[in-house]
Amino acid sequence: MWFRVKGIDNEGKLVSRKIDADSETMAISLSGFSTARLESVKPDMFAAFLYEAQYPTPTLRDQALFLSSLSSLVISGQNIQEGVQRLLAINTQFKVDKAALDQAITVSSILTALRFSPMAITLAEVGEQSGQLGESLSKSADTLIRDEEIKAEMGKGVISGFVMIGIGFLIFIVAPLMFGPLLEGIMAEENVTIRTGIWSEILVGLKVFYISYWQLAIGMIAIVGAFHKIIWKYMVRVPGFRVFLELQLLVRSLRFVMAYLPLYQAGIVLDKALVMLVRQEKGDNEKILKEMMVSVSQGQTLSHVIDTDEWSGILRTGFSGFEKLEVTARVTVLENMISVLRLQQGVFSNRVGVAMKTIGMLVALVAILSIVFGFMIPMQSLKP
């Protein structure tokens, strides 16, 4: 949630700051204003949209390059603040909130001000606590590059599927609006004979629905949008849509292992690692990790809490007996799981793309058949 916090800055001027925080108390703390200098704190519903437009989140590749350069500066012992300013002068694509950056002292707070990935911020915190900041930043850069590659691989199949679905529905909407009125006008002529069938009725029926009941269509879209999570929850369990669920589980599992591996290598214990990981997630993933935190606090092992239907079978199998392994063997298992999950994600991304293309082609086919059998063929039987 976003808050607008007003207060007196060090120069005695009244300034307003937009703060993204979980509560009003946290917003006050993050604003940097002391109690004596604080003027007001109010929720700001539109701040998120305005802030995103003014200070867009850097791409994963830009973040990775920045972190790699920053890692070199830290390892060489250079002044961090000066180094960050030099890097920002070079990387002009970064849109920086200077007020937030001026308040940042630690590397993790600097990355927060620059709107970096939560994972990068978490690893920076780990590096600051362990005294291995340079190494943590380097690992973070590698992880972000890998994350971008994964998203690119997934997008190859899924994006083309979306395009095909869009074309299919466009034809499904445009065809009745173009040919429906022509056919309806001919059928209404008293001195004209034309032989029509079920496809003609579909064509005219869709035209009537689009023109006369468009409000209902918008209402249906709004209902689907409002309850999309519930609808999706049941749709993905239908055999034909199972591939979408499998991909969702693979993506969730891969994100978890990729984020957990560097934390484990840094010696972060499980319960603390889960606290850090929760901050990186939203929605269902956040809820699942919070449930894991509760189970771990009750003494359950990672291999036990991960063994649910919320995770990919590959992850559940990989973590089986995880606690019985030595430290080096556990790292190897985690790295192997990342490789296997990436391969599987590529396979299922292609399957999802094929499924979406098939849906789009079927929708387009119905529209084309309605044109051919509902309009063109009946026109051949037209008699005055």
Side-chain angles (χ1 to χ4, degrees):
M1 185 175 181
W2 284 80
F3 295 86
R4 184 177 293 276
V5 184
K6 292 184 178 181
I8 307 299
D9 66 6
N10 296 331
E11 298 178 357
K13 298 178 181 179
L14 178 64
V15 296
S16 176
R17 293 171 182 163
K18 299 171 184 176
I19 306 294
D20 183 14
D22 295 331
S23 64
E24 184 176 306
T25 303
M26 182 180 292
I28 296 173
S29 175
L30 293 174
S31 70
F33 294 124
S34 64
T35 305
R37 291 176 174 269
L38 183 67
E39 290 290 325
S40 64
V41 184
K42 296 180 181 180
D44 194 336
M45 302 302 294
F46 300 101
F49 301 102
L50 296 175
Y51 198 82
E52 179 64 35
Q54 189 174 4
Y55 307 110
T57 302
T59 66
L60 293 180
R61 183 164 293 275
D62 285 341
Q63 291 184 44
L65 293 174
F66 186 94
L67 289 169
S68 182
S69 300
L70 185 58
S71 172
S72 300
L73 293 176
V74 171
I75 293 174
S76 63
Q78 298 185 42
N79 182 278
I80 294 176
Q81 278 73 22
E82 292 179 359
V84 168
Q85 293 299 331
R86 287 200 300 272
L87 290 175
L88 290 175
I90 298 172
N91 298 277
T92 56
Q93 69 272 26
F94 285 91
K95 305 301 180 183
V96 182
D97 182 350
K98 292 184 179 180
L101 187 61
D102 290 341
Q103 298 293 323
I105 299 175
T106 62
V107 170
S108 57
S109 62
I110 289 172
L111 297 183
T112 301
L114 295 176
R115 306 200 66 205
F116 271 45
S117 162
M119 187 277 301
I121 297 169
T122 298
L123 288 181
E125 292 176 349
V126 171
E128 290 166 345
Q129 295 170 13
S130 64
Q132 298 179 330
L133 180 58
E135 291 79 358
S136 292
L137 293 175
S138 179
K139 288 180 181 178
S140 179
D142 293 339
T143 303
L144 288 177
I145 288 292
R146 193 184 301 183
D147 193 20
E148 187 194 43
E149 291 173 350
I150 289 169
K151 289 181 178 179
E153 290 170 4
M154 187 173 68
K156 289 178 182 177
V158 175
I159 292 175
S160 59
F162 270 117
V163 170
M164 183 57 69
I165 283 184
I167 293 173
F169 276 97
L170 182 64
I171 296 174
F172 195 74
I173 293 172
V174 172
L177 292 175
M178 286 183 60
F179 298 99
L182 294 174
L183 183 61
E184 194 176 34
I186 294 172
M187 293 169 63
E189 292 288 338
E190 295 183 357
N191 301 324
V192 173
T193 302
I194 186 171
R195 188 165 49 208
T196 61
I198 185 66
W199 287 105
S200 300
E201 294 178 7
I202 291 174
L203 195 65
V204 174
L206 287 173
K207 170 261 177 185
V208 173
F209 179 78
Y210 292 151
I211 293 178
S212 302
Y213 301 99
W214 59 270
Q215 300 96 330
L216 178 61
I218 293 177
M220 292 171 62
I221 293 173
I223 291 173
V224 170
F227 298 97
H228 68 279
K229 290 186 178 180
I230 298 175
I231 296 171
W232 179 253
K233 181 179 178 181
Y234 290 99
M235 277 185 63
V236 293
R237 282 167 170 75
V238 176
F241 289 88
R242 181 74 186 180
V243 64
F244 292 92
L245 176 61
E246 292 293 340
L247 180 59
Q248 183 182 31
L249 297 182
L250 284 168
V251 172
R252 177 184 296 153
S253 300
L254 185 56
R255 283 177 59 88
F256 174 78
V257 182
M258 287 180 58
Y260 179 64
L261 174 58
L263 297 180
Y264 180 78
Q265 290 176 314
I268 306 298
V269 295
L270 179 58
D271 54 351
K272 188 175 180 180
L274 289 174
V275 171
M276 292 180 168
L277 294 176
V278 165
R279 290 158 45 189
Q280 303 180 27
E281 300 291 352
K282 294 180 180 180
D284 291 339
N285 291 350
E286 180 183 14
K287 179 182 177 182
I288 292 168
L289 290 178
K290 285 183 176 179
E291 291 174 351
M292 289 174 61
M293 287 173 53
V294 174
S295 298
V296 169
S297 67
Q298 295 172 349
Q300 296 185 24
T301 62
L302 178 59
S303 58
H304 181 78
V305 298
I306 213 81
D307 190 18
T308 68
D309 293 337
E310 304 292 349
W311 301 96
S312 166
I314 295 173
L315 189 72
R316 294 158 64 181
T317 302
F319 271 112
S320 179
F322 186 74
E323 288 75 21
K324 298 178 182 179
L325 301 174
E326 296 181 355
V327 174
T328 54
R330 292 181 184 181
V331 172
T332 302
V333 168
L334 292 171
E335 291 176 339
N336 288 341
M337 277 196 288
I338 290 175
S339 299
V340 175
L341 286 167
R342 284 190 66 177
L343 289 173
Q344 283 294 97
Q345 181 183 295
V347 171
F348 276 87
S349 294
N350 289 331
R351 290 182 183 177
V352 167
V354 171
M356 296 175 71
K357 288 178 184 177
T358 302
I359 294 172
M361 290 176 65
L362 288 175
V363 173
L365 181 61
V366 171
I368 293 171
L369 287 175
S370 67
I371 296 172
V372 174
F373 293 101
F375 181 78
M376 293 183 176
I377 292 179
M379 289 297 291
Q380 299 297 320
S381 66
L382 182 63
K383 295 180 180 179

